[in-house]
Structure formats: C-alpha cells, structure tokens
Amino acid sequence: MDRALYALTEQRRLLQLEYQSEKESYCRMTEKIGVSRLADRGDAWFPLRIGRTYYNSLNQRVLEVMRTSGDDADHNFEYGKPVSLFVAKTDGIVRHIFSGTVSFVDEDRMAVTIAESADVSALSTGEAGVVMSFDETTYRLMFEAIDRTISAKGRLGELRDLIYSGRKCEELTFTPMRFPYLNSTQEEGVNKVLRAKDVAIVHGPPGTGKTTTLVEAIHETLRRESQVLVCAQSNMAVDWISEKLTDRGINVLRIGNPTRVNDKMLSFTYERRFETHPDYPTLWSIRKTIRELQGARRHGTDQWHQKMDRLKSRATELEIRINNDLFSSAHVIASTLAGSANRLLEGMKFSTLFIDEAAQALEAACWIPMRRVGRVILAGDHCQLPPTVKCYEAMKGGLGKSLMERIVENHPETVTLLRMQYRMNEEIMRFSSDNFYHGAMVAAPDVKYRGILDYDSPIEWVDTAGLHGLESGEHEESKDMVQFRESLTNGSYGRVNRDEALLTLLTLQNYIERIGKERFLEERIDVGVISPYRAQVRYLRHLIKHTPFFKPFRSSITVNTVDGFQGQERDVIVISMVRSNEEGNIGFLRDLRRMNVAMTRARMKLIIIGDSTTLTAHPFYRKLYVRIAQGDM
C-alpha cells in the first residue's frame, strides 16, 4: 500500500507540473501569436458566421457557428472541449464575449452549449471568432481521481494496491472456450479476459486484430454480466469501438457526440436516443412552456409559482423515466475516460470496465472510471503512440508512463500478446516486429507477400543527403538547386522541409505512374502521406491541392500527422521525415514509438523520404537505413 500511495502522490505532483506548464504555455501563446496564427494552428475559427440559437434535447442552450474560411484545414476542436467566443474590433482589440462547451463539430460547423445569460447579440459588434480555452475540467477530474484513489478503502483501494504490487492477479479456473473465427492468440486473449478477477491486458501490435478480440471479449462478458462500461482516451477511439460493437449486434449507449457524423454513428448516442423516446415530445412541450412562463414572469403570484412547480416536477419525472429506459436497455455504456464522470452516470456501478487504446491515456485519466468497477480490462499497444505530455520535467519524472505500461511491467501474467497480423507485407512488418515485439509477430498467409507491382521492393528509403538540382515545372516553389534543409515556419510554429515536400510529391507521382493511372483508379488504391510535423503536413496538402497531376487522385490520398493516422492503414504509405541539419538533431523523432506507428500503416508499399546523414546519427534509424539498403527487412 505504501508503494502505491507514494507512486500516486508522485503522479499527482507530476500532473501538477504538466497542468501549470500547459496553462502557462496556453496563456503565452494566446497573448503573443494573435488570432490569425491561432486559426492557422487549428485552435481558432476566425472569422465566423453566427447561426441560430436553440435548445437541444437535453434542454441546453446552443449556439451554432460556421467558419467562413480555412480551405478545409484541420482543427483541434472536439466534443466536450471548452471554448471562448470573441469579437475582433477594427482597431485590433479582441474582446471576450462569453464561454461555452463544444457539443458538436465537423469540418466547418460547430454547436456550442452556452449559458442562459450569454449575450449572443454582442457577437455582432465586430468580426466574431471562437478559440479553444484551456481545459481546466479534464485536469480537475484527473486530480480528483488521483485523490480519490489515494484515499480509497473498498474495491478501488484493492485494485490500487494490487496494480502497484508484485502480487499475482487472481483468475477463475475453467476449460478454455473455443472461438473458431479467431486465431490462437486472439482466442487466448478472450479467455484471459473471461478468467480475470482483477486485471487483464490485450496487447495488440499493428494489424493483429486487437479491436476484433476486444469486441469478442465484450460480447462474451455480456453473456455473464448485464452491462459493462467501455472507455477510451479520445472521442475517435470511442466512436470506433462503439461502431464495431453495434455491428456485432450489441446495444451501445454512447455518452457524448461522435466525431464522424452520420445516421449510423448518431443512432447510438444518448442525445439521439433521448429525443427519439416516446415520452420526449411531451417533455419538450413542458420545457417550452416553462421557458415561456419564465420569460413572462409575474412576481409574487402564487398561481404562477404553483404552475411552475407542477411543470418542473412533471419534467423531472419524465427525464427520470426516459433515462431509466435508456440505461436499463443498454448493454454497453461508452464514453471517453473523462466523460465517465458525466452526471448521467452518477451512482452507477459496473462489474467490468474495458479501456481501449489504454496506452495513449495518462494514468490519472484511467482512474476516473475505475471508481465505478470491480475489474478492469485494458487493450492497446504501449509500443505505439504514448500519452501526450508537454512538460519536459513531468515527462522525465515518468508522467508519460501509462497505466497499461505499468501493469505490463508489474503483472506480465495478465498480458496476452496478439501475434498474427493481417495488414502488412512481411518485409514491412519485420523491422517493427524485431525492434518492438521481440520478433514475435507473424504475417498471415494472405498478406505475407502482398504487393502492388511485380518485383517491387515493399520498403524503400529515398535519401535526400547530397541531392541537388530537383527539377519540376509544376511548382513555383521549385528552385534550380535545392538543399533539402529543414526550417522553422513563421513564429516558430513548426518545422518544414519544402524541398523534401517537393521530392515527396515527385516520388509519389512517379510511383502512381509506374502503377498506371487507370489501374490506380480502378482498383481504388489508397495512399497515406505522413509527416511527424504539422507544418510539413499543411505544406504537403497545399502542394497536392495545387498540383494538376494529383487532381484525379485527391480522394485517394490522405495527408496527416502520425497521430492522425493512428488506427488507420493504406495500400501505400509515404513518410516525409523533415529533419535535415548539420548537427544531427532529430528532435522528437527520438520517440521511436511514433515511427513504429508511421511505418506500420502500410499494407503493400512503404516509402521513407529523409536525410540519412541527419537521421542515422540515431542508432534506430541507422539500423533501419542499413537494413533497407541491404534489402534485409
């Protein structure tokens, strides 16, 4: 117990450092770089067109806004995030008008939940905009979760002490179940989940069917339990597992709004289920009457007060009835880790908690839902994307170590490693398997030799070291002589290597021409262009958009950061590494887990474009470069 309390107290201290660092960084950024730069970073929409104001099915006042520029640029807004609405005057002064919370967002439209007292008319006094606010709420929930875990006495305390100790986790004993549609390690993973009394981990390297295994484990658990809680760090991850569970015929109730908006995704959200309940029209009518009475209030009238009390009592009765119906019929309650603190779940307990993509979550975030459960199942891969930690001191102190990683170290007996992968050509898989999974991964026969072109190497490195004289008449950015050197964009926003970006597009163009344009389109071959740096991603998108050759293929080409490609796959992956300098400095490319993610998105062809002189200063990239050069993957 002392070990657990010391470790959690240290976690709290490190989280405080991260909180202070991120808040100070946010304040400095918003003060210095201005609205236009915030918009470029995806942290603001400016200018805005103000839409309608209405009440949603949960009786929250909502303001709809649309951005009027941006060229379909990425943004960082998502459901549940706090925002601030502002106006920019002609003299350059920016004035905060009111705050709100994102309840829905897509490419160019956002719905913001606002207070009753918010003065929407004030947004017309200048050019309106919306900017992300510092997220105090999530930090507050994590601090509360750590404090609650430190002082816990019941089941939460038992899980805390067990996770931090070397004591073996308990298991039930029964004859293993057979699942003919799963491979042997997937079957082993489901059985380990079913046997676990305390903790189990499904460790799923790229392409090994982690989601398939998790869905089957949840399905089998529901044959023994009436309801389970399923969480993940991000809304996108919650959407993905919810969709797969729904496809399996499982009744999911999603707390929060999905990132991809379509009828299928919306159909299992709490808000959509609430407004399609048979009692909702009556509730909506009562709420409307209450608002009208509040707007025409006659002070001191007993009759008015009595009528209001009756209406509010009836509205509360209907809300409770609808919620009881929704939650009692749902087999899975799904939310983000922070979303599990929603008031809708107040007082609810579950036998089992499943946390998907657990390796990407801070440990403190995982403790938020764990107060509600008897046992916890974690799924993910700690050899891929880690939790996001921005403070160097906090990272150095160990804040970036996820709960999943801690359990893997302390309780290896709880872990099932999925070994058979169904995504990559064996040569693309091999380097990842050898360097991250002790050579344990095996390519399924159907994908082992998959490729696009005969006699084509599945993986290659286009080396920019010493290249000169790139010629292309298609871009005004072209030069007669190029150096392929990285540079900082304006305001130190990010790193970009413009010459390498041109070479990336030229390399991709040549490969498409080798495949044949007609075949590329007929077979719907898809391409992912990845760069670790957002500034490079933006520049690559700009080039593709303004290059005539790529016009017929744009719908088949996705350009994004490594984080943006997590959980995805493409036939062809092209990686622009960006870093090229005389010092051999590779920055956060030292986090090799990100490179593991980038490389393993490719099904049939992987092309790495980068400066070998700079990158091979690190032994990992030197080993990769040598193996590709020797054709020994």
Side-chain angles (χ1 to χ4, degrees):
M1 180 175 176
D2 290 343
R3 179 181 176 184
L5 297 184
Y6 172 79
L8 284 165
T9 302
E10 179 65 7
Q11 280 275 314
R12 198 188 197 289
R13 184 186 72 82
L14 296 173
L15 187 64
Q16 186 70 40
L17 289 176
E18 174 74 1
Y19 166 76
Q20 291 171 344
S21 173
E22 190 172 354
K23 188 169 186 178
E24 289 170 6
S25 175
Y26 173 82
C27 292
R28 285 196 305 270
M29 179 187 70
T30 52
E31 288 171 3
K32 289 183 178 180
I33 72 174
V35 171
S36 297
R37 295 300 299 161
L38 285 169
D40 288 342
R41 290 173 61 94
D43 294 331
W45 284 4
F46 180 80
L48 284 181
R49 181 164 61 85
I50 305 301
R52 63 191 178 113
T53 304
Y54 61 93
Y55 286 87
N56 65 15
S57 59
L58 306 183
N59 205 32
Q60 298 166 320
R61 191 176 178 218
V62 176
L63 172 66
E64 195 175 65
V65 299
M66 286 73 69
R67 64 172 167 177
T68 56
S69 61
D71 295 329
D72 299 323
D74 278 352
H75 61 76
N76 301 316
F77 294 97
E78 62 175 280
Y79 170 81
K81 295 296 184 183
V83 294
S84 174
L85 279 294
F86 64 88
V87 293
K89 302 284 190 176
T90 53
D91 55 9
I93 296 176
V94 174
R95 183 165 67 92
H96 166 80
I97 303 298
F98 53 80
S99 299
T101 304
V102 178
S103 63
F104 162 81
V105 63
D106 59 12
E107 286 82 2
D108 295 303
R109 185 170 66 92
M110 188 188 310
V112 181
T113 304
I114 59 175
E116 285 287 342
S117 58
D119 183 8
V120 176
S121 63
L123 294 172
S124 61
T125 61
E127 279 199 303
V130 60
V131 62
M132 291 184 67
S133 299
F134 180 69
D135 190 358
E136 296 271 3
T137 302
T138 300
Y139 275 105
R140 175 179 58 77
L141 292 172
M142 288 193 290
F143 283 126
E144 289 175 356
I146 290 181
D147 292 341
R148 183 168 48 245
T149 305
I150 288 173
S151 60
K153 302 295 184 185
R155 181 55 177 159
L156 181 61
E158 292 174 0
L159 286 172
R160 171 201 65 203
D161 297 340
L162 178 65
I163 286 170
Y164 278 93
S165 73
R167 178 163 52 92
K168 281 200 171 186
C169 297
E170 292 187 28
E171 287 188 341
L172 299 170
T173 303
F174 58 78
T175 303
M177 296 184 64
R178 298 301 309 276
F179 301 96
Y181 38 87
L182 300 180
N183 66 44
S184 60
T185 55
Q186 290 174 334
E187 189 176 86
E188 179 188 342
V190 175
N191 277 291
K192 188 171 281 291
V193 168
L194 298 178
R195 285 195 299 265
K197 286 186 177 181
D198 307 302
V199 177
I201 286 179
V202 178
H203 181 189
T208 54
K210 181 262 298 176
T211 302
T212 299
T213 307
L214 187 60
V215 167
E216 195 57 43
I218 293 170
H219 180 264
E220 285 300 318
T221 300
L222 287 169
R223 295 168 69 109
R224 297 153 178 81
E225 302 169 17
S226 61
Q227 196 174 67
V228 299
L229 179 61
V230 176
C231 294
Q233 170 67 14
S234 67
N235 279 295
M236 190 174 295
V238 179
D239 292 345
W240 179 250
I241 188 67
S242 296
E243 186 173 6
K244 295 304 175 185
L245 288 168
T246 302
D247 290 344
R248 189 71 169 81
I250 297 171
N251 187 342
V252 177
L253 184 61
R254 166 77 156 95
I255 308 300
N257 281 336
T259 52
R260 289 187 295 115
V261 180
N262 55 46
D263 287 341
K264 180 181 179 181
M265 300 294 287
L266 286 170
S267 65
F268 49 76
T269 63
Y270 170 78
E271 190 168 338
R272 176 62 65 88
R273 294 270 183 89
F274 192 95
E275 66 188 20
T276 55
H277 190 276
D279 287 338
Y280 177 71
T282 304
L283 176 60
W284 183 88
S285 178
I286 293 171
R287 286 172 171 174
K288 183 181 179 184
T289 303
I290 290 173
R291 288 193 293 269
E292 289 171 350
L293 284 172
Q294 286 173 333
R297 179 174 180 175
R298 285 175 282 178
H299 296 281
T301 304
D302 290 340
Q303 187 178 2
W304 183 91
H305 286 291
Q306 290 170 5
K307 187 171 184 180
M308 284 293 288
D309 288 343
R310 286 196 304 271
L311 288 169
K312 287 181 178 179
S313 177
R314 177 62 176 151
T316 301
E317 177 188 328
L318 286 171
E319 285 182 33
I320 292 172
R321 183 193 300 173
I322 294 172
N323 282 333
N324 285 342
D325 286 351
L326 296 183
F327 282 96
S328 62
S329 63
H331 298 133
V332 169
I333 308 300
S335 75
T336 61
L337 293 166
S340 68
N342 193 296
R343 63 174 181 80
L344 292 168
L345 302 183
E346 197 60 45
M348 293 187 68
K349 297 290 184 180
F350 304 86
S351 295
T352 306
L353 162 67
F354 291 87
I355 302 179
D356 194 14
E357 301 296 358
Q360 294 182 47
L362 288 172
E363 178 176 339
C366 291
W367 289 109
I368 297 173
M370 283 176 65
R371 65 177 169 138
R372 302 187 185 280
V373 303
R375 66 179 192 138
V376 59
I377 312 300
L378 300 99
D381 182 9
H382 54 283
C383 300
Q384 295 190 61
L385 291 181
T388 300
V389 177
K390 298 178 182 177
C391 173
Y392 175 75
E393 189 177 347
M395 173 62 80
K396 190 176 179 182
L399 186 63
K401 188 173 188 175
S402 67
L403 183 66
M404 177 173 171
E405 197 171 355
R406 189 179 305 281
I407 296 172
V408 168
E409 289 182 5
N410 293 347
H411 301 279
E413 76 279 2
T414 66
V415 181
T416 302
L417 174 66
L418 306 182
R419 293 181 172 85
M420 180 76 73
Q421 71 86 18
Y422 300 88
R423 176 185 298 164
M424 295 163 275
N425 178 291
E426 186 178 39
E427 290 188 37
I428 298 172
M429 176 203 75
R430 184 54 51 204
F431 189 79
S432 172
S433 177
D434 291 346
N435 284 273
F436 294 97
Y437 309 103
H438 309 290
M441 290 173 64
V442 177
D446 290 349
V447 304
K448 189 172 183 177
Y449 302 112
R450 73 190 312 181
I452 299 175
L453 296 170
D454 293 337
Y455 310 111
D456 184 26
S457 174
I459 179 169
E460 63 180 276
W461 185 313
V462 178
D463 191 3
T464 64
L467 283 180
H468 295 280
L470 176 67
E471 295 181 2
S472 173
E474 302 223 30
H475 305 290
E476 60 181 24
E477 293 92 341
S478 301
K479 308 180 182 73
D480 291 331
M481 298 292 289
V482 291
Q483 297 301 318
F484 294 97
R485 288 300 188 192
E486 67 183 78
S487 61
L488 288 171
T489 57
N490 293 336
S492 298
Y493 164 51
R495 294 184 186 274
V496 66
N497 189 325
R498 291 181 171 83
D499 297 328
E500 184 178 290
L502 290 170
L503 180 60
T504 299
L505 263 63
L506 184 60
T507 302
L508 178 56
Q509 177 176 332
N510 289 340
Y511 195 70
I512 291 174
E513 288 174 339
R514 284 179 61 196
I515 295 170
K517 296 180 182 179
E518 289 186 6
R519 181 189 166 199
F520 187 93
L521 293 171
E522 286 175 5
E523 298 184 10
R524 298 183 179 180
I525 295 170
D526 52 10
V527 176
V529 181
I530 302 177
S531 178
Y533 292 91
R534 190 188 294 177
Q536 186 81 343
V537 167
R538 291 176 64 88
Y539 187 61
L540 285 164
R541 286 175 177 166
H542 167 78
L543 292 179
I544 288 176
K545 185 173 183 178
H546 294 91
T547 304
F549 174 84
F550 291 106
K551 187 174 181 180
F553 313 113
R554 285 176 196 158
S555 62
S556 303
I557 301 173
T558 306
V559 186
N560 215 331
T561 60
V562 179
D563 295 54
F565 266 101
Q566 174 71 5
Q568 299 186 43
E569 57 187 74
R570 296 292 187 274
D571 295 324
V572 181
I573 289 289
V574 185
I575 307 173
S576 172
M577 301 293 287
V578 177
R579 299 310 296 259
S580 177
N581 53 72
E582 295 178 356
E583 297 78 23
N585 185 358
I586 64 171
F588 74 84
L589 293 184
R590 287 191 183 89
D591 188 344
L592 306 179
R593 290 172 292 186
R594 280 191 153 75
M595 192 59 184
N596 185 33
V597 173
M599 293 173 62
T600 56
R601 301 308 95 192
R603 297 187 192 105
M604 293 181 274
K605 179 71 175 182
L606 172 64
I607 304 172
I608 299 169
I609 299 177
D611 181 354
S612 64
T613 304
T614 298
L615 295 168
T616 57
H618 191 288
F620 173 87
Y621 294 101
R622 181 164 60 251
K623 184 178 179 181
L624 174 61
Y625 181 76
V626 169
R627 287 184 66 169
I628 293 174
Q630 294 176 347
D632 181 25
M633 292 304 294

